[in-house]
Each structure stands twice: as C-alpha cells, then as structure tokens.
Amino acid sequence: MEDVFDLSGTPPQGWMHALFGGGPYGDDVGRCVPGPPAPEAVAVSLPEGGEFVYRLVTVGSWSAPDDPIAVYNDTGPVPEPPLSELEKFWLSRRADR
C-alpha cells in the first residue's frame, strides 16, 4: 500500500486522515489512507520483510463532518499462508529426488 504523510492539515485528493493503534504507524499523526470510504484493512510492508495489517475500527471526524478520520487497530504481522495440498505434493516430489 502506498501511504501519504500529510502535515498540511488537509489530505490530498482521494485520501483521508487515519490514526493507527500500535504497530509501525502507531506514533504517526497525519498519516493518510485512500478514501473515503476508508478501506476495511490496510497492509503495510515491514522493513525486515512481511506485512503488518491494520483493521478499521471506526470512522469519525476531527471537528467537521467533511474531514473524516479512519481509526485502525493493529493486528500484528500476517503469518505466511499455509501451503495448499498441491504445493505440499510438489515439495514432497522434490524431496524424493
């Protein structure tokens, strides 16, 4: 996900302010996400590899209804997806050689 850090007080066109509870963006104020509407989940790349996923908690506003802010909660790093049966089969064939 591309991210925008807005210090002007007004997010760029097509973006909205966001607050993140914990995780890599937990201390950032002014970070923006695409919207409105706010995405249900936001995945950010970690410097050491992998992703960190935030889930939408609520949408409110700073002080004006035309300045929405999305509030996200951290859910931690996303584990690697389990191997499918076909992938397991391929790996077992490779190991048998």
Side-chain angles (χ1 to χ4, degrees):
M1 180 201 107
E2 178 186 0
D3 59 84
V4 172
F5 197 77
D6 168 53
L7 297 176
S8 69
T10 305
Q13 184 68 31
W15 294 78
M16 60 189 285
H17 285 114
L19 290 177
F20 297 92
Y25 290 164
D27 295 331
D28 293 349
V29 177
R31 182 90 38 195
C32 298
V33 295
E40 289 290 320
V42 174
V44 296
S45 298
L46 296 171
E48 62 273 10
E51 290 184 327
F52 194 92
V53 175
Y54 288 99
R55 303 246 182 256
L56 183 65
V57 174
T58 189
V59 176
S61 72
W62 294 110
S63 58
D66 60 345
D67 187 15
I69 178 169
V71 179
Y72 288 87
N73 197 2
D74 61 322
T75 59
V78 177
E80 290 295 319
L83 294 175
S84 70
E85 291 305 314
L86 184 56
E87 290 168 319
K88 290 177 187 174
F89 174 73
W90 289 335
L91 289 173
S92 71
R93 285 188 62 201
R94 186 189 314 167
D96 292 339
R97 289 184 176 182

